[in-house]
Amino acid sequence: MTDRSMAGLNNLTAKTETKIDTSKKLRIGIIGCGWIADAHMNAYKNQPDAEIVAACDLIPGKAAAFLKKHGIEGAKTDYASHKEMLDDKSLQLDAVSVCTYNRQHAEPTIYALKSGVNVLLEKPFTVTLDEAVEVMRAEKESGKLLSLGFQPRMDKNMQQIRKICQSGELGQIYYIQTGGGRRRGIPTPFGTTFIREETAGIGALGDIGCYSLDMVLHAVGDPKPLTVSGYKSDFFGKCPTYCGYPADKKEEYAKTFGVDDFAAAFVRLEGGIILDFRISWAMNLDTPGDTIILGTKGGLRIPSTECWNGTVGGPMKLYHEVAGLQTVTEIPIIPMDKGLFDLKIRTFLDACKNGTGAPVPSWQILYNQAIIDGIARSSAAGREVDIVIPEI
């Protein structure tokens, strides 16, 4: 992939319009009407310049029920597929949110971009690196906007981590330990979409692992991954006595489970940085540890959370020297006055209206996806593998 200048990217913040122009409303469609689409819809409803004009889902009647639940009237839902909706030029769509299950991320995103429609694609980017590359080629050919649904980027605390890393306070960064997880947290309250191989493709890696990777990769300047030695397992998901399953579904869910519930990796990044990563949906521990970023001048400790969801677990600590004395500086939590999902939608709408760059550019998340893909390949091969990112 062609190297890109970091100019203008190091100071990325959740910039939003101070006064929203409502003279022209952006016409929005929703592709996939499962539970994550509820979060998108609620955020769109909070934006005075967004109008939901259509929705579609592979399950007949689901889109109509979804819009009815949210009190959306007059929007069209009589589509058998995303193609039918995107081919309906009477909609005059400005943008779509792609909220499908993981294995369906690539196809509707590519079709939307080729149809001349901007896309907000929910995380993870895709299941495989090859799919992500194909999406980016469609993005490049279409000239339309593609932004990835990584709302933790909008958190001022996450932005503070990046500022610290980019400020030089840590010196040369050489080692990162990151990850997160849940003691018991395989996501099945909404059925089995998240745990079926044919719909999800990846489990904890794609659900919360992508957030953890993005927190540190973006903080240190989005270095290219070079090699990975990865491992993944499914001990808890395939266990019929797993306590997180409904009592009457234990056997069914255990047989259905086809993704990872734990993954770990040792990743070599460009610039001589080592990334030690682990993520879990279920484990016999409350947390796999805090995130730490070590540099030649200082080290940063970022507290973990009990149920990792892309946030900071408490005040961060910067370990450094001042006038030859070992010192620890506590960095307090910065309060947020807006919800991260609202900011995700708002910054996407602003970019669509103003023709500015994507709030979360695809080329940055491509490196994230390359690592996830590499972990899966390495685990299957039982050895370290090279990460080769094709030209876009």
Side-chain angles (χ1 to χ4, degrees):
M1 181 173 180
T2 304
D3 289 335
R4 303 191 184 211
S5 169
M6 293 303 297
L9 292 173
N10 289 343
N11 298 316
L12 177 67
T13 58
K15 296 178 180 177
T16 60
E17 294 183 354
T18 54
K19 185 177 180 180
I20 298 173
D21 179 8
T22 59
S23 60
K24 180 186 182 300
K25 290 192 175 185
L26 292 173
R27 298 173 64 82
I28 308 296
I30 306 288
I31 300 176
C33 298
W35 74 271
I36 196 63
D38 287 320
H40 281 248
M41 177 64 83
N42 288 331
Y44 278 123
K45 286 163 65 177
N46 290 335
Q47 313 306 322
D49 56 344
E51 179 183 8
I52 304 298
V53 298
C56 62
D57 194 281
L58 292 175
I59 299 175
K62 189 171 181 178
F66 170 73
L67 293 183
K68 183 178 180 181
K69 177 177 68 174
H70 285 280
I72 305 297
E73 298 180 357
K76 297 180 69 174
T77 64
D78 53 342
Y79 304 107
S81 69
H82 64 273
K83 291 183 178 180
E84 284 192 12
M85 187 182 85
L86 290 162
D87 286 344
D88 185 352
K89 300 307 178 183
S90 70
L91 294 174
Q92 297 181 304
L93 289 170
D94 293 299
V96 293
S97 272
V98 174
C99 302
T100 62
Y101 50 78
N102 297 346
R103 283 206 178 277
Q104 273 292 308
H105 277 194
E107 185 180 345
T109 299
I110 290 170
Y111 199 82
L113 291 167
K114 290 185 175 181
S115 298
V117 177
N118 299 308
V119 178
L120 175 58
L121 173 58
E122 187 51 53
K123 61 82 185 169
F125 195 159
T126 51
V127 172
T128 68
L129 175 59
D130 287 344
E131 288 175 324
V133 168
E134 289 306 307
V135 170
M136 288 184 65
R137 285 174 176 159
E139 175 193 12
K140 182 178 180 180
E141 292 170 5
S142 70
K144 304 307 293 184
L145 176 72
L146 170 64
S147 189
L148 280 298
F150 282 68
Q151 66 273 5
R153 288 269 188 109
M154 312 302 160
D155 188 335
K156 292 178 182 177
N157 298 284
M158 292 293 181
Q159 293 169 10
Q160 185 67 16
I161 296 169
R162 181 173 169 83
K163 287 177 182 178
I164 292 168
C165 292
Q166 297 295 319
S167 70
E169 287 290 329
L170 302 182
Q172 180 181 342
I173 294 169
Y174 59 89
Y175 176 82
I176 300 169
Q177 172 186 296
T178 195
R182 306 163 181 163
R183 187 171 179 181
R184 295 291 185 272
I186 297 174
T188 54
F190 305 97
T192 59
T193 300
F194 270 97
I195 66 173
R196 289 182 181 273
E197 198 284 332
E198 59 267 32
T199 52
I202 45 179
L205 266 174
D207 181 32
I208 52 179
C210 64
Y211 281 153
S212 183
L213 288 170
D214 188 58
M215 175 174 67
V216 294
L217 290 175
H218 192 54
V220 300
D222 302 292
K224 185 182 296 185
L226 303 175
T227 67
V228 58
S229 181
Y231 166 84
K232 61 178 186 172
S233 59
D234 55 8
F235 296 117
F236 292 87
K238 286 189 174 299
C239 178
T241 61
Y242 173 68
C243 66
Y245 289 153
D248 61 340
K249 298 285 187 179
K250 289 182 181 294
E251 290 284 348
E252 176 191 342
Y253 281 15
K255 290 179 180 178
T256 298
F257 198 90
V259 294
D260 55 278
D261 59 34
F262 177 85
F266 190 80
V267 187
R268 296 184 185 275
L269 304 172
E270 207 169 45
I273 301 173
I274 297 301
L275 172 60
D276 182 356
F277 166 76
R278 72 294 302 264
I279 201 75
S280 180
W281 268 347
M283 59 184 171
N284 288 317
L285 204 64
D286 56 346
T287 171
D290 295 342
T291 290
I292 59 174
I293 302 176
L294 294 180
T296 54
K297 290 171 59 179
L300 183 65
R301 180 181 294 276
I302 305 163
S304 64
T305 57
E306 184 176 337
C307 180
W308 210 93
N309 59 0
T311 57
V312 175
M316 297 179 282
K317 290 183 178 179
L318 175 62
Y319 295 79
H320 55 141
E321 291 184 4
V322 176
L325 297 176
Q326 295 182 56
T327 305
V328 180
T329 301
E330 185 172 285
I331 302 164
I333 290 292
I334 305 170
M336 294 287 293
D337 57 1
K338 289 185 179 179
L340 297 183
F341 236 95
D342 280 348
L343 285 170
K344 174 166 77 172
I345 298 298
R346 182 67 257 159
T347 53
F348 173 64
L349 294 176
D350 289 346
C352 290
K353 290 172 67 175
N354 302 327
T356 51
V360 183
S362 59
W363 76 266
Q364 293 172 1
I365 307 303
L366 180 67
Y367 294 167
N368 189 313
Q369 191 64 47
I371 291 174
I372 291 174
D373 181 88
I375 292 171
R377 290 188 295 110
S378 174
S379 180
R383 58 175 175 78
E384 183 178 67
V385 298
D386 291 332
I387 294 178
V388 179
I389 300 176
E391 290 287 330
I392 303 298

